[in-house]
Amino acid sequence: MSTSMNYIVIGFLTIYCSDILGLNVGVVGTLMLVTKIFDAVLSIPIGYIVDRTNTRWGRGRPYEWGIVGVWVATILMFATPNGWGDTVKYIWVFVMYVMNQGVFGAFLGAGTNPYMVRAFNNEKLYIKFGSYGGLLSAMGALLVNVLFPIMMAKLGTSHQGWIVMMLIIGVPAMVIGIMRFFFIPERYDVDVTTDKVDVKAVFDVLKANKYIWPVTIMMLINAMVANMGIQVYYYTYVVGNVSLMSAATAIGGIMMPALLVMPMILRKLSINQACFWGFVMCILGYVTNWFAGANFAMLLCAAVFFGLGQVPINMFGTLMALECAEYNEYIGKPRMEATLGVISGLGSTIGGAFGAFILGQLLNLGGYVSSAGNNATQPDSAILMIRLLFSFIPAALYLIAAIASKLYGLDKRLPEIRKANEERRAAAEAGLAEPHAEAKAADGPVADESDDELTARELAQVAANLSSIPETEQVTDDGRVTGPKEAVSPTETAA
């Protein structure tokens, strides 16, 4: 819930930079792209660190504290002092964005899959967790989507107003986000092998697991569209009323019932199949936006289509990384949930950057006029570009995502793979248990038998010694024989 709220808030960064800080949208988009490249460099080592983590709290659970850093960096980013020069503003936004996405957000994301499989360790529970957790996330995202435009209309025209908005949203979201750490412990150890993951294993995954790449492409495109942040521009300059954006995003509440029925849908469809049909709905929704223009009723209908279409990839896309972890185990490699989650999450990271980059570059190409505090009059070319960015461009991107979904194919092999993995785990557990059981069975009787034999020998030896000792000789307490060493004849004894 907290991360989804942050995700929505970050979508307003471009318009904050252009219309409040007076920064060039093209430069801002380029900075975001550079930031994501920086994040990409960090993400694989972060996944490696998480996969090697073993603490008293578990493997993924400690990284839940990353949500605090995410929100602190977000608040500071939207509190960029307006009195600074443009260069310092660009640097500040860049650094805070890196901290938000590439450091705190990356550790939080990398720890999510290892945390989930060790807290629940059951595919049905993963889906329920994704559904009901997704319901909370959707509620948080909906809350921000509805409230933020309203707050923008009242507070978003001033620099101080944006800081107030960030505090109103960020502080409660931070508290909500860290609650999971305190209430959900890691209970299960899912690793068949206890070998430490090394750097070579990370690169082996990149070469051997071909299924992670279509997942990464799907996540990349979905994040690219979501992070364009074009909707606020559309309602500001095409519809002409940014407050109506709240009503349009409120229609996203239809996603909540969809999340409740998703476990039933996923009994019939694989996660990948659900994502594919979701992409088809997104294509229909965004194409509808073009024909809607400023017609609010049609825009609402379109919002229903792409709102529902985004549910599977948003709520269950990360579970496909866990499917890839099953494949890793199947081919005899470490599961590496964190690394696989980071690789697919890397798609989201880069996609988010390209979304902001494409937005900035295409708006510049269309002749968009940036302003500091007041909405400028935009030329027709900029209006056309805004309309394309809210219709055919995202539709084309989701078409690519649908093609990547068709290339995935792992979902068809999963029953066979999971069965083989379960048999291997059972054999491994039995292999570990049998030596202990055999040792226990052998140690008990053998030890007792040895003790019995030793005692019998000792008794026999004592009896033999006693029988050979003349009566005139004495046996001391320590077992030494005293007296004459010569044998005494019976006559002498009689005498």
Side-chain angles (χ1 to χ4, degrees):
M1 182 175 184
S2 184
T3 52
S4 67
M5 293 170 72
N6 188 264
Y7 191 76
I8 299 299
V9 167
I10 292 297
F12 292 90
L13 180 61
T14 302
I15 198 167
Y16 167 76
C17 289
S18 65
D19 289 11
I20 299 299
L21 299 181
L23 300 177
N24 183 279
V25 288
V27 176
V28 171
T30 303
L31 279 179
M32 289 184 179
L33 178 62
V34 173
T35 300
K36 295 302 184 179
I37 294 172
F38 191 82
D39 296 349
V41 173
L42 290 177
S43 61
I44 299 298
I46 285 173
Y48 172 72
I49 290 169
V50 174
D51 274 324
R52 291 177 62 89
T53 297
N54 286 293
T55 70
R56 57 179 291 190
W57 298 286
R59 176 165 298 175
R61 188 181 173 200
Y63 297 103
E64 289 292 291
W65 285 98
I67 193 64
V68 175
V70 163
W71 276 109
V72 169
T74 301
I75 293 169
L76 291 175
M77 183 163 52
F78 281 94
T80 304
N82 221 354
W84 287 351
D86 286 355
T87 302
V88 180
K89 289 178 186 177
Y90 285 129
I91 293 172
W92 180 261
V93 170
F94 174 79
V95 171
M96 290 301 107
Y97 200 68
V98 168
M99 297 302 291
N100 175 287
Q101 302 280 309
V103 180
F104 296 116
F107 272 109
L108 178 65
T112 298
N113 281 347
Y115 185 20
M116 183 165 60
V117 297
R118 287 162 180 80
F120 302 108
N121 194 30
N122 183 289
E123 185 193 4
K124 292 181 180 178
L125 289 178
Y126 299 160
I127 293 173
K128 286 184 178 179
F129 177 80
S131 296
Y132 302 131
L135 180 60
L136 292 175
S137 296
M139 290 173 62
L142 179 62
L143 181 66
V144 175
N145 268 325
V146 171
L147 291 181
F148 210 91
I150 295 173
M151 288 192 291
M152 274 186 66
K154 295 182 178 181
L155 301 171
T157 56
S158 71
H159 179 265
Q160 190 65 30
W162 277 83
I163 297 175
V164 172
M165 287 192 293
M166 288 302 112
L167 291 173
I168 290 173
I169 293 173
V171 174
M174 188 191 309
V175 174
I176 292 169
I178 197 58
M179 288 175 67
R180 191 166 64 175
F181 174 86
F182 293 103
F183 294 106
I184 304 178
E186 292 188 9
R187 295 185 176 93
Y188 304 99
D189 184 4
V190 298
D191 297 304
V192 174
T193 176
T194 57
D195 294 341
K196 284 280 189 181
V197 175
D198 56 22
V199 177
K200 182 177 180 295
V202 174
F203 290 99
D204 284 346
V205 166
L206 300 179
K207 292 186 293 184
N209 198 322
K210 63 183 180 180
Y211 298 105
I212 194 63
W213 299 114
V215 177
T216 303
I217 293 170
M218 288 185 269
M219 300 288 281
L220 182 148
I221 289 173
N222 187 60
M224 187 183 298
V225 175
N227 277 270
M228 280 185 185
I230 187 60
Q231 190 171 18
V232 65
Y233 285 94
Y234 192 90
Y235 276 87
T236 300
Y237 297 108
V238 177
V239 178
N241 187 348
V242 73
S243 297
L244 288 178
M245 181 179 164
S246 295
T249 52
I251 202 70
I254 199 171
M255 293 190 301
M256 296 180 189
L259 287 168
L260 293 176
V261 301
M262 278 304 293
M264 291 181 283
I265 293 174
L266 292 177
R267 291 175 193 166
K268 304 294 183 181
L269 300 177
S270 69
I271 294 172
N272 179 53
Q273 289 170 330
C275 288
F276 172 80
W277 290 111
F279 297 145
V280 172
M281 293 185 70
C282 287
I283 293 168
L284 293 175
Y286 279 107
V287 169
T288 301
N289 279 342
W290 173 261
F291 296 101
N295 186 317
F296 186 61
M298 286 188 69
L299 289 172
L300 289 180
C301 293
V304 171
F305 274 100
F306 60 73
L308 287 173
Q310 290 166 349
V311 169
I313 189 66
N314 283 338
M315 300 300 113
F316 303 101
T318 56
L319 294 185
M320 286 194 282
L322 292 182
E323 294 176 352
C324 294
E326 292 276 2
Y327 178 73
N328 268 6
E329 183 179 344
Y330 179 70
I331 60 176
K333 297 185 179 298
R335 289 176 60 88
M336 299 177 67
E337 298 100 341
T339 299
L340 290 169
V342 161
I343 293 171
S344 60
L346 190 59
S348 295
T349 300
I350 296 174
F354 268 104
F357 176 76
I358 289 172
L359 175 69
Q361 298 304 317
L362 292 183
L363 284 180
N364 263 355
L365 183 64
Y368 180 84
V369 180
S370 297
S371 60
N374 296 309
N375 293 335
T377 301
Q378 301 297 335
D380 290 343
S381 58
I383 299 299
L384 175 61
M385 186 59 70
I386 290 171
R387 291 191 63 198
L388 288 171
L389 284 165
F390 199 48
S391 57
F392 288 119
I393 291 174
L397 291 171
Y398 275 119
L399 177 61
I400 297 171
I403 294 171
S405 174
K406 283 296 184 182
L407 295 175
Y408 178 59
L410 180 60
D411 50 327
K412 298 174 183 176
R413 299 185 58 191
L414 274 178
E416 163 206 346
I417 288 172
R418 283 180 173 142
K419 181 180 178 182
N421 287 345
E422 287 170 5
E423 290 173 353
R424 183 181 299 176
R425 289 173 199 156
E429 289 174 4
L432 290 172
E434 285 174 7
H436 292 296
E438 290 170 2
K440 185 175 180 181
D443 288 346
V446 170
D448 293 343
E449 186 179 338
S450 299
D451 289 343
D452 291 341
E453 289 178 0
L454 184 60
T455 303
R457 264 199 303 301
E458 288 175 344
L459 290 173
Q461 185 64 43
V462 170
N465 290 340
L466 289 174
S467 65
S468 65
I469 298 174
E471 293 180 5
T472 54
E473 295 183 338
Q474 301 293 323
V475 180
T476 64
D477 291 340
D478 59 1
R480 290 183 295 105
V481 179
T482 61
K485 295 182 181 180
E486 303 279 344
V488 181
S489 67
T491 56
E492 289 175 319
T493 304

